[in-house]
Amino acid sequence: MAIIGGGIAGLALAAELAELDGRLVERSGGARPERRIVLLERENQFAYHTTGRSIAAFAESLGSPQLHAVTRASRTILDTLGAESGTSLLRTRPVVWVADEARLDRLNRLLTGNPALRAVDSAAAQTLCPVLRESAVARAAVERTAQDVDVEALQQQYRNRATAAGAVLRTAIGLETGTRDADGWHLTTDRGELRAGRVVNAAGPWADAVAGRLGATPAGLTNLRRTVAIVSAERIGPAWPLVMDVGERFYFRPERGGLLVSPADETPSPPTDAVAVPRDVGLAVERATAATTLRLQRVRTSWAGLRTFARDRDPIVGPDPRHEGLYWFAALGGTGIQTAPALARLAAAQLLDEPYEIPGLRLETLLPR
């Protein structure tokens, strides 16, 4: 089985597949043949693009109701992984959604669809983040159980678990073409040939391009650039929450003694090594300044990443209906870090014909479409 893509999705799936396959072989007393699992990443390192540029927030209030269910399941997995390794992968950081007078209707809709949120007034929001301007917060909603994720530790854990369970993880290998015959897939890479019974498309922003190289129909995915910067400022409280605007105009939180800021931009982009555009960095600083009483100073660093979405913004996880032996694990959008653990466990179970259920998730919403 070949997995194309070495971001958090591919790494988590490689680990879950290899471990589940090992348990099934052991359960059969050796009668069941062991599957060979290979992950191919075209960059020289894993998690270079979207995974490595995430702000690592873990919040149930992000995304659709389907993503809320997946996030709850992932939290249990991450707690278990942390307990088994002795290193916690999650650290509490509340999320505060803020709304000015013009956007109270959006906040009300957010509260209606998110039982993890509690409505608070502007004074309560300012207690959590004292630099919020009163004019920026007519009302707010707080998710107190939100977390920061140690992304580096998480992806390293998945790498270690995958290799310990027998998966082969290879970097600097790019897929060129793939064809399928009666014996399975014949993959041509820039480093040689590979045969695989099944192929998993976990290529992130390049998922549609990979589908094309396999002779499959692209899913019509959209890549959206997101800009982030870290700005020097005084009086930053390290325990402040992640503050997000319900109008999707900005978010910010403490980071390394400064303030991490974003204009929450969504600029369409081809699959590429994204870079921050000065105009967007300036917009992030401008909007954070308008929402707070901080005097934001020098921009220390900035970066951009691509978030990949299907048309309905739910992930695509499941077998391709038109191409036998092709499985999609793509379009995790802006919630890949917090949904990959549970979705990888689900995908591994489906690929190995084992039962696995995520409470509250309607599987049909994830199918390739």
Side-chain angles (χ1 to χ4, degrees):
M1 193 176 303
I3 302 170
I4 310 298
I8 192 64
L11 291 171
L13 181 56
E16 293 290 350
L17 270 173
E19 290 182 341
L20 178 57
D21 186 61
R23 293 194 296 271
L24 294 175
V25 170
E26 182 178 357
R27 187 189 306 168
S28 73
R32 183 182 182 278
E34 184 177 359
R35 283 175 169 80
R36 183 169 183 262
I37 297 161
V38 178
L39 182 148
L40 306 179
E41 166 56 48
R42 71 182 183 88
E43 300 293 351
N44 292 320
Q45 65 188 71
F46 298 109
Y48 173 72
H49 289 285
T50 303
T51 299
R53 306 174 196 196
S54 167
I55 70 162
F58 189 102
E60 189 180 320
S61 54
L62 295 172
S64 70
Q66 301 306 306
L67 292 177
H68 300 168
V70 176
T71 298
R72 289 191 293 270
S74 286
R75 185 190 295 266
T76 300
I77 295 170
L78 291 176
D79 285 341
T80 301
L81 291 176
E84 291 175 351
S85 67
T87 302
S88 178
L89 297 170
L90 298 173
R91 183 179 68 252
T92 298
R93 183 182 302 280
V95 169
V96 176
W97 291 91
V98 297
D100 58 16
E101 289 286 352
R103 294 172 177 82
L104 288 176
D105 58 336
R106 295 194 187 191
L107 186 70
N108 290 333
R109 288 196 297 271
L110 187 68
L111 283 162
T112 299
N114 286 280
L117 290 175
R118 293 293 179 269
V120 298
D121 59 18
S122 60
Q126 288 173 313
T127 298
L128 289 168
C129 185
V131 297
L132 279 169
R133 289 187 187 273
E134 187 173 346
S135 60
V137 189
R139 196 163 176 243
V142 179
E143 182 179 342
R144 295 188 179 275
T145 56
Q147 311 276 325
D148 287 341
V149 185
D150 188 336
V151 177
E152 174 63 28
L154 176 61
Q155 63 102 354
Q156 187 62 55
Q157 273 209 42
Y158 276 132
R159 286 174 60 185
N160 293 344
R161 295 176 79 108
T163 54
V168 176
L169 310 181
R170 302 179 65 183
T171 58
I173 298 183
L175 176 70
E176 294 182 347
T177 61
T179 57
R180 183 173 174 82
D181 57 25
D183 296 322
W185 287 95
H186 179 85
L187 305 179
T188 301
T189 77
D190 53 13
R191 299 279 293 277
E193 309 294 318
L194 178 70
R195 300 288 296 189
R198 302 183 81 169
V199 174
V200 178
N201 184 356
W206 285 266
D208 266 353
V210 164
R213 291 169 196 165
L214 295 172
T217 304
L221 306 179
T222 300
N223 300 310
L224 301 176
R225 189 179 70 238
R226 172 60 53 89
T227 305
V228 179
I230 298 176
V231 185
S232 296
E234 298 177 353
R235 301 184 293 122
I236 301 295
W240 288 351
L242 169 62
V243 177
M244 306 189 77
D245 172 52
V246 295
E248 299 183 357
R249 297 172 300 159
F250 64 84
Y251 54 78
F252 62 84
R253 73 148 194 244
E255 182 77 12
R256 301 200 294 269
L259 197 70
L260 180 150
V261 297
S262 174
D265 49 327
E266 293 194 335
T267 305
S269 171
T272 188
D273 187 354
V275 296
V277 176
R279 174 181 56 82
D280 294 331
V281 174
L283 194 59
V285 174
E286 176 186 322
R287 290 177 177 176
T289 299
T292 70
T293 58
L294 290 170
R295 290 179 58 251
L296 300 181
Q297 302 166 7
R298 177 178 58 89
V299 175
R300 295 185 195 167
T301 187
S302 62
W303 67 91
L306 298 182
R307 308 180 320 147
T308 304
F309 292 93
R311 293 182 182 90
D312 60 7
R313 294 210 161 205
D314 279 333
I316 297 179
V317 179
D320 191 295
R322 294 174 291 275
H323 301 276
E324 184 180 356
L326 175 60
Y327 190 97
W328 287 77
F329 192 9
L332 273 60
T335 58
I337 301 299
Q338 68 182 47
T339 58
L343 290 176
R345 191 159 292 184
L346 171 68
Q350 290 181 348
L351 286 162
L352 297 179
D353 298 317
E354 287 292 302
Y356 181 73
E357 180 180 352
I358 295 177
L361 174 66
R362 293 184 291 114
L363 289 179
E364 65 271 17
T365 65
L366 304 183
L367 293 175
R369 47 209 183 267

